[in-house]
Amino acid sequence: MLSKLLKHEFRATGRIMGPLYLVLLATSLGMRVSIQVLNHADSRLLRMLGGVLAMAYVVAILGVCFAAFGLMIQRFYRSLLTDEGYLMFTLPVSVHQHIWSKLIVSTVWFLATGAAVMVSMLVMSVDGTFLPAFIQEIGYVFDAMTAYYALNGTAIVLEFAALCFLGCVAFALQFYAAMAVGYSRPNHKMAWSVAFFFLFQFAMQILGTFLLLALDESPLHHLLMNVDIHITPMLGIHIGMGIMIVGVVIYGAIFYAVTAYFLKRHLNLE
């Protein structure tokens, strides 16, 4: 059933994000043409046109970013917290499947938006000879790498990709948890949602500070300080990435548990 929910969500959100990506690509192409023209022109009209195209490109970037963010909130709100929620919760689907369908779709659009912005910048800023030359240089770099650096470099890229994915999931869950708690209140649900969002942020910051202070005075910290451990820079990078990934997973899991609990036990659609 999760696959059907995902299909429905991608179809509903793709109608908005797809055209926006095309607009972003069109404005980046316009920027590229205007840059090439302005390099060989001395016309006030052309400079004004170039300024308009630059503004349109910036607006397009902001548009796709805000659209991805807005859809994350709008789809969760509309499907689960309004009158439509009565219908959605009568389906033979668990609360967890509802949450994961929203999470997966929102995360995909976040990552796709980041990729679209980078592609648009590449289209805008380079000529036709850049990409082949860049690929060739990357090939030279990989040829010169030893197996040690090639494997570790690949591992770091995969770790960073996992961190980005999990970060997007945790980011969405912060808003889902605040809305789930806010809509358990009898009145002023949206105002409560905003209040709980900032309350959660404050609580997590306080919790993180106390945790760091506790670890600083813990026996484990003193043990590690007295043990002579030689860590290579590459190993240090992997350990740091692993710690960040675990931290993001714990952070997201807390908000996921809050979201699931309030949607199951305390949701007030009236």
Side-chain angles (χ1 to χ4, degrees):
M1 194 66 184
L2 178 60
S3 61
K4 294 182 179 179
L5 289 175
L6 289 173
K7 183 179 179 180
H8 172 71
E9 288 295 319
F10 276 119
R11 183 179 298 170
T13 53
R15 297 191 188 102
I16 299 174
M17 297 306 299
L20 287 177
Y21 291 151
L22 293 178
V23 171
L24 178 61
L25 178 60
T27 54
S28 65
L29 288 171
M31 273 291 296
R32 175 178 169 181
V33 172
S34 68
I35 291 172
Q36 292 176 340
V37 172
L38 290 175
N39 287 336
H40 305 284
D42 188 18
S43 170
R44 184 178 180 181
L45 179 61
L46 289 176
R47 288 197 297 269
M48 291 178 61
L49 179 59
V52 171
L53 289 173
M55 186 179 297
Y57 178 63
V58 173
V59 171
I61 291 178
L62 294 176
V64 295
C65 293
F66 280 112
F69 174 76
L71 281 175
M72 173 197 73
I73 296 177
Q74 189 262 353
R75 291 303 303 171
F76 184 85
Y77 165 77
R78 183 176 179 180
S79 298
L80 302 179
L81 303 178
T82 64
D83 292 341
E84 189 176 331
Y86 287 108
L87 174 62
M88 297 300 292
F89 284 114
T90 59
L91 297 175
V93 179
S94 67
V95 169
H96 297 287
Q97 288 176 318
H98 280 301
I99 297 173
W100 274 109
S101 67
K102 302 296 186 292
L103 279 177
I104 293 172
V105 172
S106 296
T107 300
V108 168
W109 288 127
F110 286 155
L111 298 178
T113 298
V117 171
M118 289 188 289
V119 169
S120 71
M121 290 181 177
L122 183 65
V123 169
M124 178 195 68
S125 60
V126 301
D127 55 25
T129 63
F130 176 83
L131 188 58
F134 178 76
I135 295 175
Q136 187 178 21
E137 290 298 325
I138 292 294
Y140 292 152
V141 171
F142 275 100
D143 290 338
M145 275 186 178
T146 62
Y148 172 79
Y149 287 104
L151 291 174
N152 280 282
T154 302
I156 290 174
V157 170
L158 294 176
E159 290 164 357
F160 181 74
L163 183 61
C164 289
F165 175 80
L166 294 171
C168 291
V169 171
F171 175 76
L173 282 168
Q174 297 176 53
F175 291 89
Y176 292 170
M179 287 191 289
V181 178
Y183 273 77
S184 68
R185 309 298 301 170
N187 298 304
H188 309 294
K189 301 176 188 294
M190 185 56 69
W192 277 111
S193 298
V194 175
F196 276 113
F197 175 80
F198 288 105
L199 179 63
F200 287 158
Q201 299 305 305
F202 179 73
M204 294 304 293
Q205 291 177 8
I206 296 298
L207 180 62
T209 301
F210 278 114
L211 182 60
L212 289 175
L213 292 175
L215 289 175
D216 186 59
E217 299 298 330
S218 66
L220 177 61
H221 176 263
H222 294 292
L223 177 63
L224 293 176
M225 292 295 294
N226 295 324
V227 175
D228 186 17
I229 302 176
H230 297 284
I231 299 177
T232 63
M234 191 66 72
L235 180 58
I237 293 175
H238 290 306
I239 293 175
M241 294 292 286
I243 292 174
M244 287 190 290
I245 289 173
V246 172
V248 171
V249 168
I250 295 174
Y251 187 82
I254 293 173
F255 288 117
Y256 181 90
V258 172
T259 303
Y261 175 78
F262 276 87
L263 287 181
K264 282 183 178 180
R265 306 294 185 185
H266 297 285
L267 184 61
N268 183 5
L269 296 177
E270 298 182 352

